[in-house]
Amino acid sequence: MPMMIEKLTSLQTIPFLVVGEDKGLKIEELGSLSKLRGKLMIYYLRQVKSREEAKKENILGKPNICELGFHWDRVGNPSTAGDTTSINLKDVLEGLKPHGNLKILKLQKIEGQNFASWMMSGRDAQLLQNLVKIELSECTRCEQVPRLGHLPHLEGIRMFGLSNLKRIGPEFYGRHSVVNHDNDGIIFGSCSEAETTATVAK
C-alpha cells in the first residue's frame, strides 16, 4: 500500500486497504479521507490492536461508503494459529462502527466468538437499517450470528464456513420467520422477502 495516503484528502475511491505491519500503512491513515465512497475492503485487521486504534479510521464519518468488508487476514493468506490471543477481537470491531447509509456488509475470517454490539443488539442495529446484503464467511470461532434478519431492506444473507456455530434460531429472522433444514447442511429462511442461505458444519 502507498505511504502517506492520509495526505490525499480529496481521494474518493480506494477499493481495498491492507493494514501494514510495523512500518507499513496504519488504519488511522484513512481517518482524514472523509470523501471516500463506494466499496472499501479492509484486510489484515489482525494488525489492529484495540478499539481506540480502530476508531481512528473513522468509518462512522464516511457516509458515502455503501459496501464495507472486514477481513482478519491478508488477501489469500491463512491465519497463523495462536497469534491473536492478546487481541480483543470484539473490541476492534466495536471501533469499526459504520455509518447508517451502508448497503452491503461482509465479514471474513473474524476470529472472535462474538460480533460487535452494533451488529448484535437491537438498539445499535439501527445503524444497519439500510443494509441490503450481509455476508459472513469463515468465522470459525463464531458461536452466534447477529440478529439482523428483520432489517427492513435486507434482500440477501449469505453465511458459510461458520464451523463453530451452535444454532440459528427464529430470533434471527424476526416474528414471522420460516426456517427449513435440508440434508446437505444448508439452512434456508425468509423474513420480509429476504432470502437467506447458510452452509453449516455437519
Side-chain angles (χ1 to χ4, degrees), residues 18-21 42-48 71-74:
V18 181
V19 181
E21 302 179 59
I42 303 177
Y43 292 91
Y44 214 27
L45 276 170
R46 65 174 60 250
Q47 293 299 315
V48 183
H71 305 259
W72 204 247
D73 291 325
R74 300 181 192 177

Side-chain angles (χ1 to χ4, degrees), residues 11-77:
L11 189 66
Q12 294 187 15
T13 58
I14 175 171
F16 70 91
L17 163 74
V18 181
V19 181
E21 302 179 59
D22 300 325
K23 297 180 180 179
L25 181 68
K26 301 301 182 183
I27 196 168
E28 59 262 31
E29 294 182 42
L30 290 186
S32 60
L33 306 184
S34 60
K35 296 182 181 180
L36 287 180
R37 60 179 63 245
K39 177 180 178 180
L40 175 61
M41 302 288 115
I42 303 177
Y43 292 91
Y44 214 27
L45 276 170
R46 65 174 60 250
Q47 293 299 315
V48 183
K49 307 303 183 185
S50 67
R51 180 189 308 203
E52 290 69 29
E53 185 178 347
K55 287 176 74 172
K56 292 178 181 178
E57 201 279 345
N58 192 25
I59 290 285
L60 191 61
K62 295 176 173 55
N64 296 316
I65 291 179
C66 61
E67 181 176 347
L68 189 58
F70 298 139
H71 305 259
W72 204 247
D73 291 325
R74 300 181 192 177
V75 182
N77 282 19

Side-chain angles (χ1 to χ4, degrees), residues 140-157:
T140 56
R141 299 182 185 180
C142 170
E143 296 181 352
Q144 182 183 10
V145 293
R147 301 176 182 181
L148 299 175
H150 64 283
L151 294 177
H153 301 292
L154 199 61
E155 296 177 359
I157 306 167

